[in-house]
Amino acid sequence: MNPVLNAHWKPWRSTSPLGTRRPTKTDLAEALESTHGREDVLPYPTDEQSAGTVRVLAVGINPSPWTAAVNAPFARPGNRFWKSLATADITHHVVDAASGLSQADERMLAELGLGITNLVSRPTARADELRTAELRAGAQRLAQRVDVIRPDVVAILGVTAFRTAFSVPRATLGRQTIDDLEDWPKTVQLWVLPNPSGLNAHENVATHAAKWRTVWAVSKKA
């Protein structure tokens, strides 16, 4: 359990606008233009309130239509994010976010100190639909937010988008050198992990989990 959570903590995120059902094709199309699915997963509603409570901040590229439809990160069936965390023994079970994130799972993540956000809030069907300017603006904003939240580790999920967002075209997976990254807090480790999308043919649940074990082990809050 996260020892820095307030004793009166309670879930704060919005439930899925679809209730308990999975999105239809029509829902997915409409989600691209909606404002849903952009809420972060943090222990508290604001960065300031969450300061010092996050062990690892996982950063996706941007919401998928499925995430936008149900207001839950990595919600699309086939995405390996939640299976990888469970396989790595970070979460207590495989989170089923396909119909939204339950309050019980929101509590579990808060207690673990696992936060989730995105580089860009605009949903798209594929990450490569994002503009370079969006990614670079997202990187600047992320550095500012990390300076407030102060997680032990930030893990960005997708090396191609990371290279563009941070203007480091030769970056590879793993821990990053932060000395030359403008405005990045020097006490916060920065890692790049593979994109957990099922479209990433270079990885599987086991290889994702192995990388997550390493990241979780180097973070300090327990």
Side-chain angles (χ1 to χ4, degrees), residues 51-129:
T53 67
V54 178
R55 177 173 176 172
V56 174
L57 181 64
V59 183
I61 306 309
N62 71 313
S64 70
W66 200 298
T67 280
V70 301
N71 190 36
F74 306 106
R76 184 178 182 84
N79 192 292
R80 302 173 180 129
F81 180 79
W82 297 114
K83 287 184 179 179
S84 299
L85 292 182
T87 302
D89 294 323
I90 295 172
T91 58
H92 310 318
H93 58 268
V94 178
V95 171
D96 182 1
S99 299
L101 189 66
S102 72
Q103 290 191 340
D105 286 333
E106 185 181 348
R107 177 179 290 275
M108 175 184 67
L109 296 172
E111 290 177 345
L112 288 171
L114 179 61
I116 305 171
T117 188
N118 287 293
L119 276 174
V120 178
S121 65
R122 181 172 71 91
T124 60
R126 294 176 60 96
D128 58 12
E129 296 176 43

Side-chain angles (χ1 to χ4, degrees), residues 5 9-13 39-54 57 106 115-117 141 144-151:
L5 283 183
W9 183 92
K10 61 182 180 180
W12 60 268
R13 299 180 76 252
E39 287 182 334
D40 293 329
V41 176
L42 290 172
Y44 296 98
T46 70
D47 293 352
E48 290 75 14
Q49 290 172 311
S50 298
T53 67
V54 178
L57 181 64
E106 185 181 348
I116 305 171
T117 188
R141 174 61 178 156
Q144 294 168 356
R145 296 187 65 195
V146 167
D147 196 35
V148 175
I149 299 171
R150 290 287 171 170

Side-chain angles (χ1 to χ4, degrees), residues 115-172:
I116 305 171
T117 188
N118 287 293
L119 276 174
V120 178
S121 65
R122 181 172 71 91
T124 60
R126 294 176 60 96
D128 58 12
E129 296 176 43
L130 297 173
R131 298 183 293 271
T132 296
E134 288 181 286
L135 289 166
R136 290 183 176 164
Q140 292 176 346
R141 174 61 178 156
L142 178 65
Q144 294 168 356
R145 296 187 65 195
V146 167
D147 196 35
V148 175
I149 299 171
R150 290 287 171 170
D152 294 323
V153 175
V154 170
I156 296 179
L157 309 183
V159 68
T160 301
F162 173 77
R163 290 167 178 160
T164 300
F166 287 84
S167 301
V168 281
R170 297 182 180 178
T172 58

